[in-house]
Amino acid sequence: MRKYTRNMIATLSLLALLPAAAFARDHPLQKMPAITAEPGQNDRLFNLPLNGRETVRVLSTAPDRPRGIIVMLPGGAGDVGLEENGDIRHGDNFVVRTRGLWNRRGFAVLIPDTIDRANLRGQRSSPVYARVVAQLIALAHQQGPEPVFLLGTSQGSIAAVNGAAHAPAGSIAGVVLTESVSVMGGSRETVFSADPQAIRAPVLVVANRDDRCNVAPPQAAQRIADAMTASRDVHVLMVAGGTTRSKKACGSLTPHGYYGIEDRVVDAISQWLDAHS
């Protein structure tokens, strides 16, 4: 593992490490009710170079002594809106607004933005984005010796499957898919478009029985799990509950985004992560 890490890190050169001290105090999540905002404990912004031409901004947030590192892949268009001063323009997404909850359970997280605020819909199952996820995994390994996991939500689950399917052997300890897009919609891709049969790492598929998003039906969870034919460790976790604040059923502030049950869902996933660390 460490040999892999050094080799991968050798291909990276961080252009900037921007401290965001007192991020939670000075830069609260925008457009979010305070009850669901969980700013991270030690936030930093990285500019991660991709192929020597473009960079992607990455938010790193970590407890003092993490026991695992999670590469979080947001849903929707993927545009988090990370600003150089630490502001987050689009902080509603489940994996963004709960980063403090993961920190409290001992996990560091890396959350990538998109390049130049690009829309990732239709791009997450591509070979190009698989390479982006590989570089995010390498960046995670640079943070320390802790096990690295991928976690995607909604459209982001497509990226997680793609990244896990093409990750170097031993580079990830597992992959978590939450409210995964399994029905073809406007993005013209699903988790089945991203080579799920190639994943060998342990997999946790999480689905909310109360999710009403038409492209992420909870009843598809077992079909998603069954597609992971190369993995010997695949588990389905069904949850229930949540309230609706977003206008659309696939919005972040609905049962699709675990709105109102974040703590319970994070706790259940953390138990699986602990068992695979």
Side-chain angles (χ1 to χ4, degrees):
M1 174 71 83
R2 299 309 297 171
K3 182 177 180 181
Y4 152 78
T5 300
R6 293 193 188 101
N7 289 342
M8 289 296 294
I9 298 308
T11 67
L12 298 173
S13 60
L14 290 177
L15 296 185
L17 173 58
L18 306 176
F23 182 97
R25 183 188 68 242
D26 299 331
H27 303 289
L29 291 177
Q30 298 180 355
K31 300 180 181 179
M32 280 295 300
I35 190 171
T36 61
E38 280 286 345
Q41 296 179 15
N42 294 297
D43 289 293
R44 298 288 186 272
L45 293 178
F46 293 85
N47 283 333
L48 177 64
L50 303 174
N51 304 318
R53 299 186 303 274
E54 299 172 308
T55 63
V56 61
R57 188 166 292 156
V58 181
L59 174 63
S60 169
T61 178
D64 292 334
R65 294 180 177 84
R67 62 174 182 265
I69 303 172
I70 312 171
V71 176
M72 297 286 198
L73 299 165
D79 178 12
V80 176
L82 297 177
E83 303 287 1
E84 289 186 2
N85 64 359
D87 284 340
I88 302 175
R89 289 184 293 106
H90 307 302
D92 287 359
N93 196 261
F94 168 66
V95 300
V96 181
R97 73 175 191 266
T98 61
R99 65 191 189 279
L101 292 178
W102 299 101
N103 288 171
R104 281 162 45 188
R105 286 162 176 80
F107 293 98
V109 302
L110 293 177
I111 305 171
D113 208 341
T114 62
I115 301 169
D116 295 328
R117 301 179 181 178
N119 188 332
L120 286 180
R121 294 182 187 275
Q123 306 300 315
R124 290 176 168 100
S125 62
S126 68
V128 171
Y129 205 73
R131 291 192 290 271
V132 171
V133 177
Q135 290 180 282
L136 289 166
I137 292 170
L139 175 61
H141 280 290
Q142 189 185 44
Q143 308 308 298
E146 297 80 17
V148 173
F149 298 89
L150 296 179
L151 188 153
T153 193
S154 192
Q155 296 276 350
S157 288
I158 302 171
V161 170
N162 192 19
H166 299 96
S171 62
I172 59 172
V175 57
V176 180
L177 310 176
T178 68
E179 306 313 305
S180 306
V181 171
S182 58
V183 174
M184 195 69 73
S187 69
R188 307 307 302 167
E189 62 180 354
T190 73
V191 290
F192 301 112
S193 309
D195 299 328
Q197 72 282 355
I199 296 177
R200 297 185 178 277
V203 182
L204 176 66
V205 180
V206 187
N208 187 349
R209 291 187 177 91
D210 295 308
D211 188 350
R212 297 295 179 263
C213 179
N214 64 320
V215 294
Q219 60 268 27
Q222 189 59 55
R223 186 162 66 96
I224 295 171
D226 291 343
M228 313 290 171
T229 53
S231 175
R232 297 182 179 180
D233 184 353
V234 183
H235 182 71
V236 173
L237 171 65
M238 299 299 298
V239 301
T243 57
T244 299
R245 185 184 179 107
S246 299
K247 294 181 180 179
K248 298 181 179 180
C250 297
S252 296
L253 306 184
T254 68
H256 180 67
Y258 307 127
Y259 186 59
I261 58 171
E262 296 92 344
D263 196 88
R264 178 153 45 99
V265 172
V266 170
D267 186 61
I269 295 174
S270 295
Q271 292 181 41
W272 184 89
L273 296 175
D274 282 337
H276 291 81
S277 295

